[in-house]
């Protein structure tokens, strides 16, 4: 609090030198700057719950005369929340009926039992799930499957495949001490023969598998607009600040980010293999040849785990159909290069958004009977199940960011920031984008992803206007880099979830995260400087963005 007050006094003395600002506007700008700094510090330090920090604009803005209470309240529930509700309805059904286990385990049964391919199989499954559900949900869905596979492999070793026969997949005793095996009797593991030389390989496989799951959830989440909170916050910010901008939709975002996600995922997989498992990459070009006895045994374990899921149920089929329909409707609503189905309605087509689609299908899951008409009625999902899955903290925190952005616009803080950043226009655009990416990637390591992008969007928008650059050129890469929080387990919930399994230390994650952060930022810069330019016309200043005038009070 004291730091915020000191900085606020400095801003006030600085702004007083500017004769172009009216004293009333100056005071409101000063107060809004104080709220911005206060919320940023509270979000980073988490001195109070993040969702409660998000409520500060509703308290301070009316008291300071920045916005009325009713105006602030309108910012706390909007299109973003409707989209989130619809997506969480689908995620609840996926998890309830076990479709996520089938989706996550199937790639593993296809790629083989070599540690490298096993790692890639689990990372790919988690990344795909994370494209459609929240990152934390994807990790919590996949980790129990990883747990089951590891225990089944260990059980297979106990039943006759000792470390001498299967050294690369042998798990050492340290894995049995983690919470993964807290419900398994200790006697289960006493007869396993693990040679000393195989123990380091076992530990490394545990580390690579768990860290890979945490990373792949963030990497997959950037691919789609509803895949992660920063993407949704960015889309809603764009709708509010630039209401005439129709450049962003589900389809072109997928075209931009799917290659980024694939490149980052594959390079991350190779990086983790090199860090934790080994430097021999001959498996990439060598033919598999005939499988050995140990490989056939391990493959049988994985296939048995998949067979335990049984035949696909009618509930899984219906959930899968809803998922496919939702994606198709998102892709074809307003593709851009051709009229979408939204144009069939007599009113303006942009009245219908992705949230409309998500809500319609989400409500459908509360209506359709899960067991058919012949049995007692039970809907596909219940309100209690939905409520348990709904990330209310994220919803409130994002709302606080929207209120803060609106307050910055009303008070003139955005204008002042734009004028302050005008000298950055002398730098090459790509250099400015790189600085923005590095700043967001650094801050997101100590603050939540949603809080980081909420802080930066109201700053980067006026920056783009001030240097007369397409705002998407800066906002898109900054949004994507906000999801690259790979250094610390506390940087994001997925990292915290896998860290709780006890297979790796913070130092292991820092060592791996430095390389993955670099890979992610470079992949984003490559995309935004190549195929991103024609996709979003980034080389031209758009009509929907205001023309900045440095003399405007």
């Amino acid at each position: 609090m004291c730091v915020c007050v000191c900085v606020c006094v400095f801003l006030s003395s600085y702004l007083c030198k500017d004769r172009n600002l009216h004293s009333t506007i100056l005071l409101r700008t000063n107060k809004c700057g104080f709220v911005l700094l206060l919320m940023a510090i509270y979000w980073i330090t988490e001195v109070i719950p993040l969702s409660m920090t998000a409520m500060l604009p509703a308290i301070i803005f009316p008291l300071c005369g920045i916005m009325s209470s009713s105006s602030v309240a309108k910012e706390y529930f909007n299109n973003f929340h409707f989209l989130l509700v619809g997506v969480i309805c689908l995620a609840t059904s996926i998890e309830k009926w076990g479709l996520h286990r089938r989706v996550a385990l199937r790639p593993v049964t296809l790629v083989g039992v070599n540690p490298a391919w096993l790692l890639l199989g689990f990372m790919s499954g988690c990344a795909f799930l994370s494209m459609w559900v929240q990152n934390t949900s994807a990790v919590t869905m996949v980790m129990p499957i990883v747990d089951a596979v590891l225990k089944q492999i260990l059980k297979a070793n106990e039943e006759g495949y000792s470390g001498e026969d299967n050294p690369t997949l042998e798990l050492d005793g340290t894995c049995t001490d983690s919470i993964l095996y807290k419900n398994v009797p200790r006697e289960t593991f006493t007869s396993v023969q693990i040679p000393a030389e195989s123990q380091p390989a076992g530990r490394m496989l545990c580390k690579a598998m768990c860290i890979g799951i945490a990373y792949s959830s963030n990497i997959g989440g950037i691919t789609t607009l509803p895949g992660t909170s920063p993407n949704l916050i960015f889309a809603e910010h764009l709708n509010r600040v630039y209401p005439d901008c129709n450049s962003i939709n589900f389809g072109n975002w997928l075209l931009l980010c799917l290659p980024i996600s694939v490149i980052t995922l594959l390079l991350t997989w190779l990086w983790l293999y090199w860090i934790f498992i080994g430097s021999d990459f001959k498996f990439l070009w060598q033919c598999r040849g005939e499988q050995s006895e140990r490989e056939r045994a391990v493959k049988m374990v994985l296939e048995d785990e998949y067979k335990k899921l049984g035949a696909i149920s009618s509930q899984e089929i219906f959930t899968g159909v809803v998922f496919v329909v939702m994606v198709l409707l998102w892709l074809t609503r307003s593709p851009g290069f051709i009229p979408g189905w939204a144009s069939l309605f007599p009113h303006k087509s942009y009245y219908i958004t992705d949230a409309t689609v998500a809500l319609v299908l989400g409500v459908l899951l509360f209506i359709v009977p899960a067991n058919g008409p012949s049995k007692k009625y039970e809907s596909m999902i219940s309100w209690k199940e939905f409520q348990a899955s709904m990330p209310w903290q994220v919803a409130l925190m994002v709302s606080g960011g929207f209120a803060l952005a609106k307050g910055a616009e009303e008070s003139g803080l955005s204008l002042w920031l734009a004028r302050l950043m005008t000298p950055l226009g002398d730098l090459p655009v790509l250099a400015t984008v790189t600085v923005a990416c590095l700043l967001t990637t650094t801050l997101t390591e100590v603050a939540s992803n949603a809080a980081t992008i909420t802080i930066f969007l109201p700053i980067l928008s006026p920056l783009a206007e001030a240097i007369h650059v397409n705002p998407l050129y800066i906002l898109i890469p900054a949004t994507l880099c906000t999801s690259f929080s790979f250094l610390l387990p506390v940087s994001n919930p997925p990292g915290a979830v896998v860290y709780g399994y006890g297979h790796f230390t913070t130092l292991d994650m820092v060592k791996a995260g430095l390389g993955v952060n670099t890979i992610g930022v470079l992949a984003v810069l490559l995309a935004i400087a190549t195929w991103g330019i024609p996709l979003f016309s980034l080389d031209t200043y758009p009509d929907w963005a205001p023309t900045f005038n440095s003399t405007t009070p």
Side-chain angles (χ1 to χ4, degrees):
M1 177 72 76
C2 294
V3 174
C4 288
V5 172
C6 293
V7 176
C8 190
V9 171
F10 168 76
L11 289 177
S12 178
S13 62
Y14 183 88
L15 288 169
C16 285
K17 298 177 183 179
D18 194 336
R19 300 179 182 274
N20 293 326
L21 288 178
H22 190 272
S23 58
T24 302
I25 299 177
L26 170 63
L27 183 60
R28 293 173 65 194
T29 303
N30 189 28
K31 292 176 180 178
C32 189
F34 167 76
V35 177
L36 172 63
L37 290 170
L38 181 65
M39 292 179 67
I41 292 175
Y42 277 18
W43 268 331
I44 294 172
T45 58
E46 298 188 37
V47 292
I48 61 175
L50 298 177
S51 54
M52 289 299 98
T53 299
M55 304 301 291
L56 291 180
I59 301 171
I60 302 178
F61 281 179
L63 294 177
C64 293
I66 298 174
M67 295 175 65
S68 66
S69 182
S70 58
S71 298
V72 178
K74 294 176 182 177
E75 305 297 322
Y76 277 83
F77 200 88
N78 47 52
N79 188 67
F80 160 83
H81 297 86
F82 287 127
L83 178 59
L84 186 62
V85 166
V87 170
I88 295 302
C89 287
L90 177 60
T92 303
S93 183
I94 289 174
E95 186 171 7
K96 177 181 179 179
W97 300 111
L99 183 59
H100 64 288
R101 295 181 62 85
R102 198 176 300 275
V103 171
L105 193 55
R106 189 56 181 170
V108 182
T109 62
L110 296 176
V111 296
V113 296
N114 180 283
W117 298 117
L118 199 65
L119 175 61
L120 179 62
F122 276 118
M123 289 179 65
S124 301
C126 185
F128 180 79
L129 282 173
S130 189
M131 291 170 60
W132 315 106
V133 302
Q134 291 292 304
N135 299 354
T136 309
S137 299
V139 169
T140 55
M141 290 175 182
V142 173
M143 278 307 297
I145 303 173
V146 175
D147 174 21
V149 170
L150 292 178
K151 286 192 290 187
Q152 289 295 329
I153 292 174
L154 188 60
K155 182 179 178 181
N157 290 330
E158 178 188 0
E159 291 174 352
Y161 296 96
S162 63
E164 290 81 4
D165 295 326
N166 186 17
T168 57
L169 285 175
E170 185 64 36
L171 301 181
D172 61 278
T174 60
C175 290
T176 65
D177 294 332
S178 73
I179 64 172
L180 281 174
Y181 301 98
K182 63 183 180 181
N183 296 323
V184 181
R186 294 290 298 183
E187 292 77 15
T188 305
F189 304 100
T190 53
S191 61
V192 180
Q193 300 298 320
I194 305 175
E197 60 269 19
S198 71
Q199 291 187 14
R203 284 196 297 269
M204 294 299 103
L205 181 60
C206 289
K207 292 177 181 181
M209 194 78 73
C210 290
I211 293 178
I213 294 300
Y215 288 174
S216 59
S217 69
N218 285 355
I219 294 170
I222 69 172
T223 310
T224 60
L225 281 174
T228 189
S229 298
N231 294 359
L232 289 171
I233 298 169
F234 159 76
E236 185 62 24
H237 173 83
L238 207 64
N239 292 334
R240 288 171 167 269
V241 178
Y242 308 110
D244 296 329
C245 175
N246 297 317
S247 302
I248 299 294
N249 56 55
F250 185 89
N252 58 21
W253 185 271
L254 187 66
L255 287 176
L256 173 73
C257 297
L258 183 59
I260 297 175
S261 182
V262 171
I263 292 171
T264 306
L265 185 71
L266 291 177
L267 292 179
T268 298
W269 165 56
L270 294 175
W271 170 255
L272 292 178
Y273 180 86
W274 183 72
I275 288 289
F276 294 112
I277 299 178
S279 57
D280 186 2
F281 293 97
K282 292 180 181 178
F283 66 89
L284 290 174
W285 58 82
Q286 284 182 341
C287 296
R288 295 184 183 179
E290 185 178 354
Q291 289 185 334
S292 65
E293 185 66 27
R294 73 169 188 271
E295 289 174 336
R296 285 194 292 268
V298 174
K299 183 178 180 180
M300 187 178 299
V301 170
L302 295 174
E303 290 178 346
D304 288 345
E305 188 70 18
Y306 186 79
K307 289 177 182 178
K308 287 179 183 178
L309 299 177
I312 187 168
S313 65
S314 59
Q315 294 89 347
E316 288 180 88
I317 293 174
F318 183 79
T319 302
V321 169
V322 171
F323 163 73
V324 172
V325 170
M326 183 179 290
V327 173
L328 290 177
L329 290 177
W330 278 341
L331 287 172
T332 57
R333 177 181 63 85
S334 181
F337 57 93
I338 58 172
W341 57 263
S343 62
L344 300 176
F345 291 84
H347 45 67
K348 294 183 179 180
S349 60
Y350 60 81
Y351 281 20
I352 299 173
T353 66
D354 290 341
T356 311
V357 174
L359 273 181
V360 168
L361 296 176
V363 171
L364 187 64
L365 293 170
F366 285 96
I367 300 174
V368 174
N371 301 312
S374 60
K375 297 182 180 180
K376 182 180 179 181
Y377 175 78
E378 177 191 0
S379 59
M380 289 290 295
I381 59 174
S382 66
W383 175 256
K384 185 177 181 180
E385 293 162 343
F386 163 78
Q387 194 173 20
S389 302
M390 180 67 183
W392 297 108
Q393 175 175 288
V394 172
L396 283 175
M397 187 165 59
V398 171
S399 301
F402 293 152
L404 181 61
K406 187 65 175 178
E409 179 185 348
E410 294 286 335
S411 66
L413 179 63
S414 296
L415 175 63
W416 178 79
L417 289 172
R419 300 175 67 187
L420 186 66
M421 295 173 179
T422 304
L424 291 177
D426 297 332
L427 294 175
V429 177
L430 196 58
T432 305
V433 173
T434 303
V435 171
C437 290
L438 293 177
L439 286 175
T440 54
T441 303
T442 301
L443 182 60
T444 197
E445 299 295 350
V446 294
S448 73
N449 299 353
T452 301
I453 196 62
T454 301
I455 293 169
F456 272 98
L457 284 177
I459 298 174
L460 296 178
S461 290
L463 166 61
E465 297 167 14
I467 62 178
H468 205 69
V469 170
N470 190 323
L472 299 179
Y473 210 147
I474 298 178
L475 296 183
I476 290 177
T479 300
L480 296 176
C481 289
T482 304
S483 296
F484 297 154
S485 48
F486 299 131
L487 286 181
L488 301 172
V490 297
S491 297
N492 58 79
V497 169
V498 297
Y499 183 76
Y501 281 77
H503 287 305
F504 63 90
T505 65
T506 300
L507 184 60
D508 293 325
M509 198 167 187
V510 171
K511 180 174 64 174
L514 287 172
V516 181
N517 270 346
T518 304
I519 291 170
V521 171
L522 291 178
V524 168
L525 293 176
L526 172 66
I528 209 68
T530 52
W531 65 88
I533 292 178
L535 190 60
F536 297 108
S537 301
L538 299 180
D539 53 347
T540 59
Y541 194 77
D543 296 334
W544 46 260
T547 302
F548 176 72
N549 186 352
S550 60
T551 62
T552 302

